[in-house]
Amino acid sequence: MPWDAVDLTPSEAASVRAVSEGVADEVQQKLAWRVIREKICNVDALSFTFAPDGQRVGDFAEGKRWVAKTMTLFATMPIKPNSRGAPPATPVPE
């Protein structure tokens, strides 16, 4: 079922943790991105599930897919420069 726990390798789990803590290197960031989209959100799976409570299961799966699709949209969206031609300022962590 879409709400079941996802099996991650130790390196996958460590990569997701490193991203959440803001200390991931480039390799960890790319691995975490792939894990979140493909394993956790199951972006390429069908959201329809043949089960006794199929509508609820399908809705849950579609919500996970929507998160991955939205993340992908923002990651691939063109970033407009400001009026001086510079990219937007990088957010400063609190």
Side-chain angles (χ1 to χ4, degrees), residues 23-87:
V23 296
D25 62 24
E26 182 179 353
V27 172
Q28 289 173 314
Q29 290 176 36
K30 289 179 178 182
L31 179 57
W33 177 260
R34 195 168 63 249
V35 166
I36 292 167
R37 288 188 76 250
E38 295 172 10
K39 283 194 167 185
I40 297 172
C41 292
N42 210 4
V43 69
D44 294 323
L46 296 174
S47 54
F48 172 78
T49 303
F50 185 75
D53 194 8
Q55 179 68 42
R56 185 169 148 260
V57 173
D59 289 347
F60 194 94
E62 189 57 32
K64 289 173 55 171
R65 288 183 65 238
W66 181 86
V67 169
K69 294 289 188 182
T70 302
M71 287 174 56
T72 303
L73 172 72
F74 288 126
T76 58
M77 171 184 296
I79 299 174
K80 296 179 183 177
N82 64 20
S83 61
R84 293 173 289 174

